[in-house]
Amino acid sequence: MTSRLETVSPGLRPAPLVLPPAFTGLVTAGSPGAAGQACRLAETGEAEAGTLLMEERDDVIALAVVLAPTEPLATARRAFFVGMQALADAVGTFGPPEIPVTFLWPDTLSFNSARLGGGALHWPQGCGEGETPDWLVFSAMLIASKRDAGDPGLTPDSTSLEEEGFPKDLREALVESFARHLTKAFEIWSEDGAARSTGRYLARLALPPGVRATIEPNGDARLVHADGRSESLPLLPALAAPSWRDPSTGRVRL
C-alpha cells in the first residue's frame, strides 16, 4: 500500500530514496520530527502503511514508518521487535563486520558496547488492548555525529556513526537499507510465525551469562536463569518511556 498524499503536506517533501514497492518516502524538517509527523499522517488518514519519513538533520539519522497491524494491540506490539531487527540489520550492513550490533532491553541499540540509538513504537490514543489499532508507527534515531557534544571523554556511554568509521553521508543509504530489511523481517513473521521473528531480536539481546530468553505473546520478555529462576521484563512500560531518549532534547542520550 502507498501513501494517500496526492500533494505533499507543508513541511514535507518527497524523499530521494530507492525503496521497495510498498513504500513511499518523505523528508521532514523541523518540529514535530519524523515520528510525530508519521503519527499525525496516520491518525488523519493522509498516509497508509509503508509511508516512510526521515528527518533532514546532520546530528542524527531519524526515521519513522507507518504500519498496518492485523492483530489486537496486545500482540501487535511485537512489531516493535521487527523494527528493531531491521534497524540493526541496516546498521550492520555499513559497519565493520567484526563489531556486533546489540540490544539493551528493549529499545536501545548499541554498537561497540556504546549507545548508538534506539527505537520506539506508537499507536492511537485510546486503543484498547483487545482492539486492532488502525495504525502503528515504528520510529528510530541514531547518533550520526557528536561533534557538538564536546570532549568524547565526557560522554563515554554513547557513540556515533562518525566515530565508529561508518561511511559519510549515510542517511539515505541507511534508510533505504532499513526499508529492505523491514520488508524481509515481516516476510519472516508472515511465513514462519512470530516466534521465529522475535527470536532474531533475541539473538542480539545482551543477556547475562547462562540466561535464556523468550518473548511472550504480549511482548514481555521471559528470562530463565541458570538456577531455574524465572524473571519477566515488561514491554509496555518501556515503550511508554524510551530508555535511550533524552527527555530534555528528544534526541539520543549522550
Side-chain angles (χ1 to χ4, degrees), residues 149-217:
D151 187 337
L154 299 176
T155 55
D157 294 334
S158 64
T159 188
S160 69
L161 297 171
E162 184 178 63
E163 285 182 64
E164 299 296 342
F166 281 72
K168 295 182 179 180
D169 303 320
L170 189 58
R171 180 177 59 192
E172 285 81 3
L174 194 142
V175 173
E176 290 173 347
S177 180
F178 167 80
R180 292 192 295 271
H181 285 295
L182 187 69
T183 299
K184 180 62 177 178
F186 273 117
E187 286 175 356
I188 291 173
W189 181 313
S190 177
E191 295 171 4
D192 300 333
R196 166 79 190 285
S197 184
T198 55
R200 298 179 71 236
Y201 167 90
L202 290 173
R204 294 184 183 271
L205 183 62
L207 293 170
V211 173
R212 294 180 290 107
T214 57
I215 300 292
E216 310 248 327

Side-chain angles (χ1 to χ4, degrees), residues 59-62 80 84 87-88 91 101-120 138-144 146 157-161 164 242-246 250-254:
D59 58 335
V60 299
I61 294 176
F80 170 76
M84 289 296 291
L87 182 66
V91 171
V101 183
T102 58
F103 301 133
L104 299 180
W105 175 263
D107 56 1
T108 297
L109 186 146
S110 295
F111 189 86
N112 207 8
S113 302
R115 182 172 49 254
L116 179 61
F138 175 82
S139 65
M141 185 177 291
L142 302 171
I143 303 174
K146 291 172 60 178
D157 294 334
S158 64
T159 188
S160 69
L161 297 171
E164 299 296 342
S243 60
W244 54 268
R245 182 184 294 155
D246 184 338
R251 297 192 294 271
V252 183
R253 286 191 297 113
L254 298 177

Side-chain angles (χ1 to χ4, degrees), residues 62-82:
L63 61 88
V65 61
V66 179
L67 307 175
T70 58
E71 302 178 8
L73 179 59
T75 57
R77 281 197 190 94
R78 291 176 296 176
F80 170 76
F81 301 114
V82 178

Side-chain angles (χ1 to χ4, degrees), residues 231-249:
E231 177 184 1
S232 179
L233 300 179
L235 176 63
L236 183 55
L239 293 181
S243 60
W244 54 268
R245 182 184 294 155
D246 184 338
S248 65
T249 65

